[in-house]
Amino acid sequence: MRHLLKLLPKVDTLLSHQDLQNLPQATLKRVITSTLNTLRDEILAQKIDENQLQIRLEQLVPTIKAQCKLAQEPTLKRIINATGVILQTNFGRSIFSQSLLDEITPFLQSYHTLEYDLHTGKRGERYIHTKETLCEMLGCEDALLVNNNASAVLLILNTFARNKEVIISRGELVEIGGSFRIPEVMKCASSILREVGSTNKTHLKDYQEAINEQSAMIMKTHQSNFKQIGFVQSCDMRALTHLAQEHGLIDYYDLGSGHLGVLDLPNEPSVKEILKHKPSLISFSGDKLLGGPQAGIIIGKSALIKQLKQNQLLRALRVDKFTILALEATLKAYKERQWHKIPTLAMLQIPQEALQQKTQSLYESLKNIPHIQCEMINLQSIAGGGSLPEETFASFGVSLYHTQIPTKTLESLLREKGLITSTKQNRILLDVRTLLEDDEKRIVEILNHIAHQENKGNNDRFS
Ligand SMILES: *Cc1c(COP(=O)(O)O)cnc(C)c1O
């Protein structure tokens, strides 16, 4: 083992290697050290013999160089979403339009009255801006913004149910996107989870029987990313609101995505419809179906919102001016019915003919690329982002394969170039619904590039 360790070059030797010049020193040093450490560990663990080590050492300098190059690349990269899933938390959920950004940029580039009252010259209120707009649009009493909907849940539970019981159906103890789980958030908020009913069925009497002097709240959570079918029953918010108010409890509905009623969604009541039953509090995300910035929008009774504002936690969950400006601009686009300013809504509403045209154009650009076989097909887009789990939107796109490269390999080659696709039955699928203006051009470039590499006889890479 010792003699193997002696074969490892010194850090300084590598640092001054002629092939490793003109690289940022800090990165180079870090990469060299970690590469040598890995080799040392493998030697000590007797994972490699002398032969294998020799091969690795021959490749050492090129490997280090490649890793330095990789480390210099930005981690945040633009991608093309050809999956047809409109809201992907991993891809940043709702995106913004140029016209919306143009409206808010002047404010971001100058001082503004974020928390300042021009009449009194005194401190104003950060939350007043969006509150006015939301109340006007939805006819609610009061509204408050926080960092995201998870913050909204945390703040509401911590304010009204600290060390007190929150009654919630077993079927609604949901997990959203890995890190948000209702039971865990309750713990964080110091609330006591009082689950009622069974996984598939919860009746009003289950809630009724759970009410005791420790109860503070009846909570309902939108199931968001899954749907129960078959022998199921849940309680609607109207009945829960009634029950809670009868017993002097707070009723709170975590709506998840929420939507403002623009889309025709027969199974999803809009925020406005839910507000008709006068719930104490509801909350939903700003960047799901609403199509705005990341935010948690809390709506409800003024007296309760006032209490939320007095919780110190709010200072930690406070929204930035960017959020307020972007949400204001998004809501203004709603009022003016300018859907093109809200890409999420625009994508969900693209007419079939437009999708067909987009598909035809993409197909024409792809069909003559060497080795690519493609055809136009019908697809189904989904909203994604923990909203509308069962709803699909008829769409179109291109299905393709490469005559020399297995589809699985092609999918990862495309992905590494920033083109995210889905695959089905050994075909790459490109749904045009989520493609943006210049995406077609870039897709053609990427596929041409791959075809070109293939022509150069770079076969081994792909097998
Ligand atoms: C998405 C979702 C959340 C979390 O919202 P974020 O805006 O991602 O913080 C909470 N509850 C439900 C029911 C959701 O669907």
Side-chain angles (χ1 to χ4, degrees):
M1 240 180 334
R2 269 186 182 277
H3 74 286
L4 289 189
L5 286 177
K6 281 210 182 109
L7 293 176
L8 294 181
K10 297 252 175 318
V11 174
D12 284 342
T13 317
L14 286 170
L15 274 174
S16 53
H17 193 286
Q18 60 174 15
D19 287 353
L20 297 177
Q21 299 314 303
N22 300 325
L23 291 164
Q25 284 300 293
T27 311
L28 180 59
K29 217 168 179 167
R30 188 160 48 80
V31 171
I32 290 175
T33 316
S34 84
T35 311
L36 291 178
N37 282 346
T38 309
L39 279 174
R40 192 171 295 118
D41 290 347
E42 287 181 38
I43 293 170
L44 290 173
Q46 296 185 332
K47 279 191 190 151
I48 44 175
D49 60 23
E50 184 156 356
N51 267 341
Q52 290 166 317
L53 181 63
Q54 284 299 352
I55 296 168
R56 295 274 288 275
L57 288 177
E58 275 160 29
Q59 285 303 311
L60 194 59
V61 170
T63 309
I64 289 173
K65 196 169 171 180
Q67 284 199 11
C68 281
K69 287 249 146 61
L70 210 62
Q72 279 171 277
E73 279 187 24
T75 50
L76 207 50
K77 292 179 187 164
R78 291 177 59 178
I79 54 175
I80 297 171
N81 176 7
T83 62
V85 184
I86 295 143
L87 299 168
Q88 293 246 26
T89 302
N90 303 347
F91 301 170
R93 287 196 192 157
S94 288
I95 57 172
F96 296 105
S97 61
Q98 184 63 50
S99 48
L100 192 129
L101 291 172
D102 287 345
E103 280 174 38
I104 70 175
T105 324
F107 289 89
L108 292 168
Q109 287 175 318
S110 95
Y111 296 110
H112 49 263
T113 55
L114 181 66
E115 276 187 15
Y116 187 70
D117 186 328
L118 283 177
H119 302 297
T120 61
K122 294 211 173 99
R123 182 166 181 201
E125 231 221 271
R126 176 177 295 251
Y127 304 104
I128 195 87
H129 315 288
T130 35
K131 177 205 145 155
E132 296 291 334
T133 317
L134 284 165
C135 291
E136 186 195 322
M137 280 177 72
L138 302 169
C140 53
E141 270 186 31
D142 207 347
L144 180 63
L145 275 196
V146 284
N147 190 41
N148 54 12
N149 192 30
S151 307
V153 178
L154 180 68
L155 181 68
I156 289 170
L157 290 174
N158 181 264
T159 306
F160 300 110
R162 198 175 322 144
N163 304 321
K164 291 206 178 133
E165 287 183 10
V166 178
I167 307 172
I168 183 168
S169 159
R170 284 209 164 86
E172 293 173 10
L173 299 173
V174 298
E175 169 174 318
I176 317 280
S179 53
F180 178 91
R181 302 173 115 190
I182 292 290
E184 305 303 321
V185 180
M186 289 224 186
K187 258 187 232 161
C188 268
S190 306
S191 301
I192 304 161
L193 172 65
R194 179 72 195 249
E195 46 187 303
V196 296
S198 61
T199 305
N200 54 329
K201 280 201 171 202
T202 305
H203 307 273
L204 189 62
K205 74 169 181 352
D206 295 322
Y207 291 91
Q208 233 156 6
E209 285 165 8
I211 296 174
N212 66 72
E213 60 280 11
Q214 282 303 306
S215 315
M217 181 184 292
I218 296 179
M219 179 173 176
K220 187 172 174 66
T221 318
H222 194 286
Q223 287 179 331
S224 294
N225 49 12
F226 70 106
K227 191 152 197 106
Q228 289 181 310
I229 53 166
F231 193 58
V232 293
Q233 183 171 337
S234 63
C235 253
D236 76 353
M237 193 59 198
R238 182 189 216 148
L240 294 181
T241 298
H242 192 75
L243 179 67
Q245 292 174 4
E246 220 173 58
H247 289 83
L249 304 177
I250 289 167
D251 56 294
Y252 164 44
Y253 190 2
D254 169 11
L255 256 177
S257 176
H259 73 100
L260 302 189
V262 174
L263 305 162
D264 184 23
L265 303 168
N267 304 319
E268 288 289 330
S270 70
V271 170
K272 214 169 167 174
E273 283 167 306
I274 289 164
L275 284 172
K276 279 191 194 141
H277 313 311
K278 305 223 174 301
S280 304
L281 290 169
I282 62 172
S283 75
F284 51 98
S285 296
D287 56 354
K288 290 186 181 171
L289 284 177
L290 193 148
Q294 177 186 306
I297 301 168
I298 305 173
I299 281 175
K301 306 245 154 87
S302 289
L304 300 175
I305 300 271
K306 204 167 155 195
Q307 273 176 273
L308 289 173
K309 285 184 187 164
Q310 282 156 5
N311 189 332
Q312 273 298 311
L313 253 186
L314 181 62
R315 183 63 177 77
L317 307 175
R318 184 167 93 171
V319 283
D320 172 51
K321 57 187 173 302
F322 180 87
T323 307
I324 291 174
L325 287 163
L327 188 62
E328 269 292 282
T330 306
L331 295 175
K332 185 164 154 270
Y334 266 92
K335 280 201 281 191
E336 294 165 359
R337 307 182 69 78
Q338 304 221 313
W339 312 129
H340 68 278
K341 289 189 180 174
I342 311 172
T344 295
L345 284 186
M347 283 182 206
L348 282 163
Q349 299 185 95
I350 309 177
Q352 294 290 301
E353 311 82 73
L355 290 169
Q356 263 164 335
Q357 271 169 21
K358 255 175 119 175
T359 301
Q360 184 78 39
S361 160
L362 180 63
Y363 171 76
E364 297 295 335
S365 328
L366 295 180
K367 72 174 189 207
N368 293 324
I369 297 179
H371 308 300
I372 297 291
Q373 296 289 323
C374 55
E375 57 178 341
M376 295 183 272
I377 51 161
N378 292 309
L379 290 168
Q380 298 289 330
S381 312
I382 57 169
S387 60
L388 313 177
E390 277 290 83
E391 206 89 39
T392 55
F393 299 82
S395 188
F396 292 96
V398 171
S399 143
L400 63 86
Y401 68 96
H402 193 289
T403 52
Q404 322 273 300
I405 307 175
T407 293
K408 216 168 153 234
T409 313
L410 183 60
E411 185 275 332
S412 71
L413 286 171
L414 296 174
R415 174 160 35 80
E416 278 168 36
K417 296 241 170 276
L419 170 57
I420 319 295
T421 61
S422 55
T423 57
K424 196 174 175 188
Q425 289 166 345
N426 252 331
R427 297 284 184 273
I428 299 276
L429 305 181
L430 306 170
D431 188 327
V432 295
R433 186 186 290 273
T434 44
L435 296 184
L436 308 175
E437 188 124 337
D438 295 325
D439 285 352
E440 180 185 312
K441 200 167 135 244
R442 180 79 189 120
I443 292 173
V444 173
E445 275 170 17
I446 293 173
L447 277 164
N448 260 321
H449 180 81
I450 289 171
H452 187 67
Q453 280 191 333
E454 173 67 9
N455 279 340
K456 277 198 308 201
N458 204 352
N459 283 336
D460 331 338
R461 267 199 77 192
F462 302 129
S463 43

